Amino acid sequence: MAPVRITGAMVAAISVTMALLSIVLYKSKKTKPALPSNKNPRNGLVGAIGNTPLIRINSLSDATGCEILGKCEFLNPGGSVKDRVAVKIIEEALESGDLAPGGVVTEGSAGSTAISLATVAPAYGCKCHVVIPDDAAIEKSQILEALGATVERVRPVSITHRDHFVNIARRRASEANELALKHRKDEQKNGKTLEQVNGFHYDEEKQLFPRNCPGGYFADQFENLANFRAHYEGTGPEIWEQTGGNVDAFVAAAGTGGTVAGASKFLQERNPNIKCFLIDPPGSGLFNKITRGVMYTKEEAEGRRLKNPFDTITEGIGINRLTKNFLMAKLDGAFRGTDKEAVEMSRFLMKNDGLFMGSSSAMNCVGAVRVAQSIGPGHTIVTILCDSGMRHLSKFYNAEYLSKFDLTPTACGLEFLGVG
């Protein structure tokens, strides 16, 4: 083979090519790569709700031999799982026309749903009016007021009483609608405003709603199936995707019943072998309903409870009636949790995992350990970490308050659940 002769022109061409390549490589290093689609900015506050992390709770997993996973709902913008519900309720109400643009969303809530509604409502141009029992942690009403919601604190009574906080909230929505209707009828008389006709003066300081309120909508978190749909379309599918379908059991407490119903129904539709359980606090009748078929205790017959139905310091969970949301649940069994177990669990998680959890989250983790004990090691169990302890400082994390009820935590490990 004849030797290749390298001419001056070839050397020049190679040099130019290398120079151009160097420039391209230099510029490519300085150019920021495009963000992956899943890293793109989300669309406002509403876009940041959901798709929360699913984490391994190391201490509980190591102690039980099961993979115990917690869905970090406390990382939602409003700080709880109820953000999902607030978005779904408001969006469906606006789409149906039941909630007028700029209207007032009313709700009776022990705290978290109210906070989520107050957080989300402004993103849709709406206001929020909340009726809350006066025995709920004071920081919850303080947060609501800081968020711009109108807050009514009322004494806790049975749901059968007309002045139960939920029933008052329902009335407030009706009052807002009546005011809006009256304002539309009386706003103009022969082209003049009502004030021009008869000197009428509307004193907004003495009214619950402004004169130009376009109407109200009662969120009705207990009976509104938008609650269930938020978890059937969101929480459940996320758990399935995040576990790759490798989940053996799901457990959660119920207040409205939306979370446990939506997640359990979706998961069991995907795999009927997934076992779903309820963890129920003291004073609630759901444990009896699931395990015995009748919602009663030794002291009372079903539906006869007339006083405050809760005999627990946990907030937002436990109930003595079957809501439309809860009736959608697919459950294989139930466990009874105690206040002391929830308190001890919260301190255990804080000490061993750095998880500062609220009362319902702690109760859910009690349920996860109970499920692990029931089905044995080697299984994957998912529960919900509903909210953090930040909203529970005045009661659940108050040493003086706990001591009044003999609930001062004393455990060193998980011996309060029989785990050595």
Side-chain angles (χ1 to χ4, degrees):
M1 181 182 293
V4 177
R5 295 181 61 192
I6 301 177
T7 66
M10 291 178 66
V11 171
I14 292 171
S15 298
V16 170
T17 301
M18 294 300 294
L20 290 173
L21 181 60
S22 298
I23 292 171
V24 170
L25 289 172
Y26 175 75
K27 287 187 175 181
S28 67
K29 287 181 181 179
K30 295 189 69 176
T31 304
K32 292 182 178 179
L35 291 173
S37 59
N38 63 345
K39 296 295 184 181
N40 286 340
R42 298 189 188 183
N43 186 18
L45 175 127
V46 173
I49 294 171
N51 291 306
T52 53
L54 185 68
I55 65 169
R56 181 181 192 266
I57 305 178
N58 293 328
S59 64
L60 301 185
S61 299
D62 294 343
T64 61
C66 287
E67 288 296 292
I68 295 183
L69 310 179
K71 192 93 165 83
C72 296
E73 294 300 297
F74 61 89
L75 294 179
N76 280 307
S80 85
V81 66
K82 296 297 186 178
D83 282 13
R84 297 175 183 268
V85 179
V87 166
K88 196 67 173 175
I89 286 176
I90 292 176
E91 285 188 347
E92 288 192 3
L94 286 169
E95 289 171 4
S96 67
D98 291 335
L99 173 61
V104 177
V105 181
T106 73
E107 183 58 291
S109 168
S112 289
T113 301
I115 291 171
S116 291
L117 286 169
T119 300
V120 169
Y124 293 96
C126 298
K127 304 292 185 183
C128 188
H129 184 103
V130 177
V131 186
I132 189 169
D134 62 14
D135 62 347
I138 188 65
E139 54 266 36
K140 292 189 177 181
S141 60
Q142 291 171 337
I143 293 170
L144 285 166
E145 290 171 348
L147 289 169
T150 302
V151 181
E152 282 187 73
R153 291 177 68 91
V154 300
R155 65 188 181 92
V157 294
S158 168
I159 187 66
T160 59
H161 196 290
R162 73 181 303 273
D163 287 332
H164 184 275
F165 61 93
V166 171
N167 296 330
I168 293 176
R170 182 183 286 105
R171 287 205 303 274
R172 296 294 180 253
S174 297
E175 290 165 4
N177 286 326
E178 290 170 6
L179 175 63
L181 180 61
K182 184 177 186 301
H183 180 62
R184 287 195 295 269
K185 287 182 177 179
D186 297 345
E187 188 177 28
Q188 289 188 339
K189 298 283 186 175
N190 297 322
K192 296 182 179 181
T193 64
L194 189 60
E195 289 91 335
Q196 291 172 320
V197 173
N198 60 9
F200 170 81
H201 174 69
Y202 184 88
D203 189 350
E204 290 194 8
E205 291 185 358
K206 296 182 179 179
Q207 306 297 325
L208 287 170
F209 306 106
R211 178 181 56 180
N212 61 352
C213 173
Y217 176 76
F218 176 48
D220 197 13
Q221 61 167 326
F222 287 88
E223 307 301 332
N224 189 337
L225 288 177
N227 183 345
F228 160 79
R229 286 188 288 273
H231 299 290
Y232 180 78
E233 298 172 9
T235 313
E238 287 173 29
I239 291 171
W240 180 262
E241 181 180 350
Q242 289 169 322
T243 60
N246 181 27
V247 54
D248 298 297
F250 173 79
V251 60
T256 63
T259 304
V260 73
S264 66
K265 191 171 193 299
F266 177 87
L267 291 172
Q268 289 205 346
E269 284 180 355
R270 283 302 183 100
N271 181 357
N273 293 322
I274 296 174
K275 301 299 181 183
C276 296
F277 300 92
L278 174 82
I279 178 72
D280 211 29
S284 175
L286 297 179
F287 171 80
N288 290 317
K289 190 69 176 179
I290 293 171
T291 58
R292 303 177 187 175
V294 181
M295 192 178 293
Y296 71 92
T297 65
K298 294 178 180 178
E299 295 79 21
E300 62 196 15
E302 182 173 9
R304 300 292 183 180
R305 190 189 287 267
L306 297 178
K307 296 181 181 180
N308 179 20
F310 305 112
D311 185 24
T312 177
I313 65 164
T314 60
E315 294 187 2
I317 55 175
I319 194 171
N320 277 299
R321 58 189 174 89
L322 297 177
T323 67
K324 289 181 181 178
N325 284 290
F326 185 80
L327 288 172
M328 302 296 289
K330 301 295 183 182
L331 298 173
D332 296 284
F335 300 91
R336 173 73 78 193
T338 69
D339 282 350
K340 187 64 181 293
E341 290 169 348
V343 170
E344 294 284 12
M345 178 60 77
S346 67
R347 274 56 173 188
F348 179 85
L349 293 172
M350 187 164 53
K351 178 180 178 182
N352 293 278
D353 299 272
L355 291 171
F356 183 43
M357 296 289 93
S359 57
S360 56
S361 300
M363 187 65 80
N364 282 349
C365 289
V366 170
V369 173
R370 291 298 187 204
V371 172
Q373 292 171 321
S374 174
I375 65 177
H379 295 93
T380 298
I381 301 164
V382 176
T383 193
I384 305 293
L385 304 180
C386 314
D387 68 354
S388 77
M390 294 301 293
R391 297 173 184 173
H392 302 264
L393 299 178
S394 65
K395 295 175 67 177
F396 195 66
Y397 282 96
N398 184 312
E400 183 178 352
Y401 179 86
L402 293 178
S403 66
K404 293 179 181 178
F405 299 94
D406 237 0
L407 293 174
T408 301
T410 57
C412 296
L414 289 172
E415 63 269 22
F416 60 94
L417 291 177
V419 178

